[in-house]
Amino acid sequence: MVQNLNGIKHMRQWLAVGFVTVWLGFQPLQTWAQSDAVKVGVVNVAVLLEQSPQAKSASAGLEQEFSAQQQELINLNSQMEQKQSELNRDRLAMTESQQNLREREVAILGREIQRKRNDVQELLNIRRNEELAKLQNVVNDAIRAVGQREGFDLILYEGIAFTSSRIDLTEQVLQYMTELHEQPGSNFNR
């Protein structure tokens, strides 16, 4: 029992020495933090990827790029609906072989539409990912530029559960991106 008390006394001494050592070790950090405050900001990248003029421009460009394919799909779908309507209307006047032939035509057209729709969707996804990668580079450059201009030491943008409006830089970065987008010849301009 006496040995246990000595062990506890010895452990308390080591803890006290450890505490003092750690406290003395942090003294320079506390002094540094008091004299040179770290400036931290937060940016909501989802807002920038959705509301920036570069994002809107990329979206409009993709829409224009794929408008012909979308129109072709609309026309093919109209053709299929018309053939289906004609089949339903004339079904009683047709022989069974004529009905089968028309049903096959409608089914073939339906498969063609689905195949084209899948192809267009795949191409659209590839192009959207390419544009998103470009836009992410623009956003990162804008965040870096605003951070350097405003003297920030750290800017965070992922995994933030709460942000005070005092350190939220989203609007500043969005404004910066808007200004860059409006400059002729800017490499941020689409």
Side-chain angles (χ1 to χ4, degrees):
M1 179 117 167
V2 173
Q3 195 174 18
N4 276 347
L5 289 176
N6 284 337
I8 291 173
K9 189 188 248 184
H10 187 66
M11 189 164 65
R12 283 185 183 167
Q13 289 173 342
W14 276 108
L15 284 173
V17 168
F19 176 76
V20 169
T21 304
V22 168
W23 183 75
L24 288 174
F26 280 109
Q27 284 298 17
L29 282 177
Q30 287 177 336
T31 305
W32 174 79
Q34 290 170 353
S35 64
D36 297 326
V38 176
K39 193 170 179 183
V40 177
V42 176
V43 175
N44 186 340
V45 173
V47 169
L48 299 174
L49 292 175
E50 183 181 312
Q51 295 181 8
S52 69
Q54 291 86 346
K56 292 175 183 177
S57 178
S59 180
L62 286 174
E63 194 173 303
Q64 182 179 4
E65 183 177 336
F66 286 92
S67 65
Q69 290 94 331
Q70 293 294 334
Q71 188 59 49
E72 181 182 2
L73 286 171
I74 290 169
N75 293 342
L76 286 172
N77 202 39
S78 294
Q79 281 180 354
M80 185 178 77
E81 288 174 357
Q82 182 179 355
K83 284 184 182 272
Q84 184 66 48
S85 176
E86 289 172 1
L87 173 64
N88 291 339
R89 183 189 67 215
D90 299 338
R91 185 177 297 272
L92 296 176
M94 293 182 192
T95 65
E96 188 175 334
S97 63
Q98 288 174 326
Q99 287 178 15
N100 290 338
L101 179 65
R102 292 261 182 106
E103 287 172 355
R104 250 184 269 126
E105 288 175 357
V106 170
I108 289 169
L109 190 54
R111 284 192 299 273
E112 181 183 347
I113 291 170
Q114 189 59 44
R115 191 171 44 255
K116 284 187 184 229
R117 184 175 288 131
N118 291 341
D119 290 346
V120 168
Q121 188 62 47
E122 186 178 336
L123 288 173
L124 178 61
N125 288 339
I126 290 169
R127 286 289 296 124
R128 186 179 293 133
N129 288 338
E130 291 171 355
E131 291 299 315
L132 182 60
K134 289 179 192 175
L135 185 58
Q136 285 173 331
N137 287 333
V138 171
V139 167
N140 287 333
D141 289 345
I143 291 170
R144 191 175 303 108
V146 168
Q148 289 172 349
R149 181 181 73 191
E150 301 294 326
F152 280 87
D153 298 305
L154 177 66
I155 297 179
L156 305 170
Y157 63 81
E158 285 189 37
I160 307 298
F162 171 77
T163 302
S164 166
S165 60
R166 188 170 52 101
I167 64 169
D168 189 353
L169 302 173
T170 305
E171 286 301 317
Q172 284 178 285
V173 175
L174 187 59
Q175 179 61 35
Y176 181 83
M177 291 178 72
T178 301
E179 291 168 6
L180 283 177
H181 186 73
E182 293 170 355
Q183 291 178 0
S186 171
N187 61 350
F188 287 88
N189 205 347
R190 281 197 40 87

